[in-house]
Amino acid sequence: MNEADTCRTYILPNLKSAGWEDDAITEQYVLTPGRIVPVGNQHTRKQGLRPDYVLFIRRNIPIAVVEAKAEYVNVADGLAQAMRYAEMLGVKFAYASNGKKIIEHDYITGLESDLENFPSPDELWRRLEGTLNLPQPQDKTDALSAYWEQVGGKTPRYYQMIAINRAVNAVLSGQKRILLTMATGTGKTFVAFQIAWRLWKAGRKKRILFLADRNVLIDQAKDRTFAPMGQALHKLKGKAVKSREVYFALYQALTGKGGGPNLYEKYPPDFFDFIIVDECHRGSANDEGNWRKILDYFTGATQLGMTATPKRNDNADTYEYFGDPLYTYSLKQGIDDGFLAPYRVYRVVPDVDAGGVQIDPGVLDRFGREIPPDLYGTKDFERVLSLLTRTETVAKHLTEYLKRTNRMDKTIVFCVDQEHAADMRRALKNLNADLGVTHYVERVVSDEGSVGRGHLDDFQDPEKAAPVILTTSQMLTTGVDAPTCRNIVLFKPINSMTDFKQIIGRGTRVLEEHGKFWFTILDYVGATQLFYDPAFDGDPVRVTRTEIDEHGNETAVEDSEEGTLANPHPGPLPQGEGEVQQVSELPRKYYLDGVNVYIAGEQAFELDPDGNVLRTMEFTDYVTQNVRRLNLTAEHLRAAWGRHEQRAEIMEQLRRYGIDPAHLAAVTHHEEADALDLLLHVAYNAPLVSRRDRAEKLRQKKANFLNTFTPAARQILDALLEKYADYGISQFDDLTSLLKIQPFSQYGTTSEIYALFGGAGKLVQAVDEIQQGLYE
């Protein structure tokens, strides 16, 4: 019996005889969809993880994994795989079976045992509940409380189930402070809602407070994610309302202004029994922080902190207060699993950032003020010294990039301050006026108020095309769910890893129905140096580098040792400079006009499918290695390439390794070469041959064959060769569609063209002969 036979004949009947009902057994459970691998402008996925069976003690509460093997396979071979799945799911029991034998690994005792039959649900629950530290019988009942579910609604992913179930059990066991660390884009608010829902519906938590530091976080949570709680919800705005059950508040709204009374003190200290602190890494837990005062006042409440950033110096207070995370799901894991989008990084360096701007004594700014003599660099621009021409140059480069990719790809531009965001908006608006799109680019900052919020709502809506570009300073760095955002533009220095991860997180959502599988980071200030910080856990992807002179001509530049440009901003960024400030609070700026600014260098990064950083200078080595790894010898490639089915199979193998001949041609600047010749050239140092050369050689070699056709039929075959010479062998893949366009359509309908060859079969034979002849 093979594995499928084993499942049907032995394992499933055995499970049911042990008392497992159909709704407690999920076959081929989709644990992960598989890492997304960009392939040129397309994508593929690595194989996802699917346990044969996951057993649930209640819906969304898994308890065991079963891995099946064929009858003739040693059952022990499946146990390691079952244990891997069990560890990912956070369950305590792993089983492997070939139908004749069952092996159990019990993570509670550490024992491995041979079994005659699978344990019953009640037996596994009895063994598990002793480890949950739930002293009261009702605690054990509430540990199995139901999730909120809706037909066609969102289904919890495996890591969300772990976070929800562990948090609920921790609350039931009496733990007062709980921390969950989950990367941006992994659904922290959804997790918080499900925890609150289960505890609320079970009657264990009756008054819940959701705290955050920005209206956009509060409003998104209340109006979208927590909406199923209906009339129980209320947002606190200056009045101590006490008639609801689930409250949302800015911490600023709960503390008094100018030494006035604190709103939170109008509530008894025991009023709230559960407090959720969203984005708790932003200073909420330090001894002097305003949030800490609120948390200390409601000290009897269970407090759940949610953060996207692992422990670092700039958020150590959070971890000291809440303790070690109950569960961590990192950016790297999210990308590896395929739930988060990988990204490409383009580092672009204006010349003034590469070398700085030297101000000599006596230089006056736009308003006639003398600018202090000094060497000004990236850290100073738009804080101390404003260069409008630098902003306009970057806006022009960004516009040209969008013209090469897609001008309607949604983009967020992070600027130094609100004034800088306004300058960037105006420059982009003028450069893209030809599109005629109202609200193509808008500024979203705190000064814009409800108008900016309206633009943000439209930007977040996948069904609305505009605005396409948002310029901002700090308002959109965190908590903004923009699933169709394809470009993140860094035009402000960032010295905080926490802020960096939050900003990167604006693009990590995957939205398959809109074709969004990865995103691009365009870095004009060297902020992506933080990728090389050991604390960063999600490396970028593809490495090319070009340098552009002031006339716009590309000149080759050698990569530096680490694949980075030489110090793109002179001098370190002072502590605190990365934090947002209102324009009125900034040091006085000097405005220097007339400075000639151009793009001095450009560099791109990409990950290979295994998560390793590549540089363009290494990409050909990567192709060589994997072509040989696939045992694609030169002889095999030549013999197979002329046959459509075999060529398609090879192309699929290459895509699984992130190799696309069209992308390889663009990277190596050999767009005119045949895909086969390019692969042979890179992998085996074969000479390059252009597609046009191959087409001409075929016309000579196959002259007798071509002359067997009527003049009209021969003209069609000649036009096919021209299509190949211009666009490649893929032109032959969909012959029916190709014959419907010019120049073929001038010969009549598809049926009339077939008739010129004596039937469709004769035309297909002729095309097959040409394909094979091209590679003889």
Side-chain angles (χ1 to χ4, degrees):
M1 287 188 174
N2 59 28
E3 190 172 303
D5 294 332
T6 300
C7 290
R8 288 191 301 270
T9 306
Y10 293 115
I11 294 178
L12 198 55
N14 196 323
L15 285 170
K16 290 187 175 181
S17 66
W20 295 93
E21 301 292 339
D22 287 341
D23 59 359
I25 304 170
T26 299
E27 188 173 359
Q28 291 295 307
Y29 177 79
V30 180
L31 194 60
T32 71
R35 182 188 179 100
I36 296 168
V37 181
V39 183
N41 292 323
Q42 303 298 316
H43 82 284
T44 186
R45 280 188 183 269
K46 299 184 75 173
Q47 187 172 0
L49 300 179
R50 295 192 175 196
D52 289 326
Y53 295 100
V54 175
L55 307 182
F56 290 83
I57 196 68
R58 290 290 186 275
R59 187 169 172 81
N60 297 315
I61 304 178
I63 196 169
V65 171
V66 180
E67 194 62 22
K69 288 297 173 187
E71 187 177 22
Y72 54 83
V73 175
N74 187 338
V75 67
D77 293 346
L79 189 60
Q81 193 173 4
M83 290 173 65
R84 177 192 178 191
Y85 295 144
E87 289 163 13
M88 287 186 69
L89 273 167
V91 300
K92 299 298 185 182
F93 307 103
Y95 299 90
S97 176
N98 62 1
K100 300 294 187 182
K101 185 178 181 181
I102 302 171
I103 297 181
E104 174 192 76
H105 182 86
D106 183 340
Y107 281 89
I108 299 172
T109 64
L111 297 177
E112 188 174 301
S113 309
D114 293 333
L115 304 178
E116 291 294 327
N117 298 293
F118 289 106
S120 68
D122 289 341
E123 179 185 344
L124 285 190
W125 177 241
R126 282 195 301 271
R127 289 159 64 180
L128 177 65
E129 65 181 3
T131 69
L132 299 180
N133 192 28
L134 302 175
Q136 302 300 322
Q138 187 60 41
D139 296 337
K140 297 169 184 177
T141 300
D142 292 342
L144 301 178
S145 59
Y147 283 55
W148 178 82
E149 291 186 280
Q150 183 181 39
V151 176
K154 185 183 295 186
T155 301
R157 297 166 177 172
Y158 83 89
Y159 63 86
Q160 293 171 336
M161 288 193 303
I162 296 173
I164 294 163
N165 295 337
R166 287 186 183 178
V168 168
N169 291 342
V171 172
L172 295 176
S173 69
Q175 188 172 329
K176 284 296 187 181
R177 296 177 184 174
I178 301 164
L179 180 65
L180 295 175
T181 301
M182 300 175 65
T184 300
T186 57
K188 293 190 298 297
T189 309
F190 174 73
V191 167
F193 161 68
Q194 290 287 3
I195 294 168
W197 174 271
R198 291 181 61 192
L199 294 170
W200 180 59
K201 294 301 275 186
R204 303 304 292 261
K205 299 298 178 185
K206 299 180 180 179
R207 292 196 186 96
I208 299 169
L209 175 62
F210 185 99
L211 278 176
D213 68 342
R214 298 186 187 180
N215 267 312
V216 66
L217 299 177
I218 292 293
D219 294 340
Q220 282 183 169
K222 173 180 172 293
D223 298 337
R224 299 180 187 178
T225 312
F226 280 72
M229 290 180 160
Q231 295 300 311
L233 307 178
H234 180 75
K235 181 179 178 180
L236 295 174
K237 298 179 181 179
K239 184 179 179 181
V241 174
K242 299 179 181 179
S243 58
R244 303 298 177 89
E245 297 171 79
V246 184
Y247 298 79
F248 296 80
L250 295 171
Y251 79 86
Q252 302 96 314
L254 294 184
T255 55
K257 297 180 180 179
N262 294 314
L263 179 61
Y264 67 83
E265 292 179 323
K266 295 183 179 180
Y267 292 90
D270 62 352
F271 184 81
F272 296 109
D273 49 16
F274 188 48
I275 298 177
I276 299 169
V277 187
D278 194 21
E279 307 292 356
C280 65
H281 59 273
R282 286 205 294 270
S284 62
N286 63 58
D287 292 335
E288 295 78 26
N290 285 330
W291 286 25
R292 179 63 178 268
K293 296 174 185 176
I294 299 169
L295 297 178
D296 285 344
Y297 182 80
F298 298 111
T299 189
T302 302
Q303 298 170 1
L304 170 65
M306 308 286 292
T307 182
T309 56
K311 186 175 182 180
R312 289 180 55 83
N313 290 337
D314 57 3
N315 65 359
D317 290 330
T318 299
Y319 283 78
E320 182 179 347
Y321 181 82
F322 285 102
D324 292 335
L326 191 66
Y327 181 64
T328 297
Y329 190 73
S330 69
L331 174 63
K332 180 178 177 59
Q333 188 66 51
I335 293 174
D336 285 345
D337 286 346
F339 292 117
L340 295 182
Y343 44 90
R344 295 167 170 169
V345 177
Y346 283 84
R347 290 183 181 167
V348 186
V349 182
D351 66 317
V352 292
D353 292 73
V357 173
Q358 179 65 54
I359 300 297
D360 296 326
V363 175
L364 303 181
D365 81 341
R366 184 188 306 166
F367 301 103
R369 300 173 299 177
E370 183 175 358
I371 303 173
D374 205 345
L375 177 64
Y376 294 86
T378 304
K379 65 183 178 63
D380 306 307
F381 297 144
E382 305 309 321
R383 294 189 182 279
V384 179
L385 183 67
S386 176
L387 300 175
L388 184 58
T389 52
R390 174 175 175 264
T391 298
E392 291 171 343
T393 298
V394 168
K396 182 179 180 181
H397 182 276
L398 175 58
T399 298
E400 292 302 318
Y401 170 81
L402 292 173
K403 286 180 179 178
R404 295 196 306 268
T405 53
N406 187 339
R407 296 177 78 179
M408 299 305 292
D409 280 350
K410 291 192 175 180
T411 301
I412 301 177
V413 184
F414 289 92
C415 303
V416 172
D417 59 26
Q418 297 191 35
E419 181 185 15
H420 188 210
D423 289 342
M424 191 65 176
R425 187 204 70 85
R426 182 174 183 179
L428 287 167
K429 179 179 177 64
N430 291 339
L431 288 164
N432 292 279
D434 61 297
L435 288 173
V437 177
T438 305
H439 304 301
Y440 178 77
V441 54
E442 294 295 347
R443 184 179 75 147
V444 176
V445 295
S446 57
D447 281 358
E448 299 286 354
S450 60
V451 174
R453 180 55 201 265
H455 291 318
L456 176 58
D457 288 343
D458 290 343
F459 182 85
Q460 291 177 285
D461 188 341
E463 303 305 323
K464 292 188 176 179
V468 176
I469 304 175
L470 295 184
T471 66
T472 187
S473 55
Q474 189 76 2
M475 185 174 171
L476 305 185
T477 56
T478 186
V480 175
D481 186 9
T484 56
C485 181
R486 296 177 186 268
N487 298 302
I488 301 295
V489 180
L490 306 179
F491 200 18
K492 58 178 281 185
I494 304 169
N495 72 322
S496 164
M497 178 62 75
T498 299
D499 288 347
F500 182 62
K501 284 192 172 184
Q502 292 287 341
I503 288 172
I504 298 306
R506 299 311 102 218
T508 54
R509 272 76 170 179
V510 174
L511 197 65
E512 295 194 15
E513 58 268 34
H514 286 265
K516 194 281 184 89
F517 293 93
W518 74 88
F519 67 104
T520 301
I521 303 165
L522 293 101
D523 175 17
Y524 293 93
V525 293
T528 48
Q529 295 279 1
L530 289 169
F531 283 133
Y532 295 98
D533 188 314
F536 191 81
D537 59 3
D539 298 321
V541 288
R542 179 164 110 201
V543 186
T544 57
R545 170 167 170 162
T546 59
E547 186 166 297
I548 303 173
D549 63 23
E550 59 186 298
H551 303 294
N553 300 316
E554 291 188 2
T555 56
V557 176
E558 186 177 342
D559 281 326
S560 59
E561 185 66 25
E562 295 83 14
T564 62
L565 293 165
N567 194 7
H569 45 85
L573 186 65
Q575 289 295 319
E577 288 287 322
E579 298 174 5
V580 67
Q581 302 179 67
Q582 300 299 324
V583 173
S584 60
E585 299 171 347
L586 288 170
R588 182 179 59 176
K589 286 186 188 180
Y590 296 93
Y591 298 84
L592 185 62
D593 298 327
V595 178
N596 182 32
V597 180
Y598 61 89
I599 299 301
E602 221 177 301
Q603 186 178 22
F605 294 78
E606 200 169 283
L607 283 183
D608 71 18
D610 296 321
N612 302 311
V613 179
L614 297 173
R615 287 192 292 275
T616 294
M617 58 187 293
E618 298 170 348
F619 186 61
T620 53
D621 294 335
Y622 172 79
V623 173
T624 299
Q625 174 187 347
N626 285 287
V627 167
R628 293 178 178 179
R629 178 188 293 178
L630 291 168
N631 292 319
L632 298 175
T633 64
E635 292 75 16
H636 174 63
L637 282 169
R638 288 192 182 99
W641 206 255
R643 295 175 172 83
H644 169 69
E645 294 80 6
Q646 295 183 31
R647 184 173 66 247
E649 183 179 338
I650 293 170
M651 290 288 286
E652 181 57 33
Q653 289 179 298
L654 292 171
R655 287 192 185 96
R656 284 199 290 268
Y657 284 89
I659 299 170
D660 175 38
H663 173 52
L664 179 61
V667 166
T668 56
H669 303 292
H670 292 305
E671 289 88 346
E672 79 292 343
D674 185 272
L676 171 65
D677 293 308
L678 187 56
L679 289 170
L680 292 175
H681 175 70
V682 169
Y684 299 107
N685 202 31
L688 275 175
V689 181
S690 72
R691 294 188 298 272
R692 190 156 297 280
D693 285 344
R694 280 195 175 275
E696 290 303 320
K697 288 179 181 177
L698 181 127
R699 288 186 175 102
Q700 296 171 18
K701 287 190 303 181
K702 295 288 186 178
N704 291 336
F705 168 73
L706 296 172
N707 286 331
T708 62
F709 296 95
T710 65
R714 176 163 180 168
Q715 288 173 10
I716 290 170
L717 295 177
D718 194 63
L720 282 170
L721 282 172
E722 281 300 306
K723 286 288 185 182
Y724 158 76
D726 288 338
Y727 303 109
I729 195 67
S730 62
Q731 294 297 299
F732 296 121
D733 293 346
D734 187 359
L735 197 58
T736 302
S737 298
L738 187 65
L739 295 177
K740 294 177 181 178
I741 63 174
Q742 287 290 343
F744 306 102
S745 58
Q746 65 180 305
Y747 295 96
T749 65
T750 304
S751 298
E752 289 170 338
I753 293 173
Y754 289 156
L756 294 174
F757 289 84
K762 295 289 183 64
L763 173 57
V764 171
Q765 288 177 11
V767 171
D768 287 344
E769 180 78 16
I770 287 175
Q771 289 189 75
Q772 295 177 36
L774 283 169
Y775 301 106
E776 285 179 354

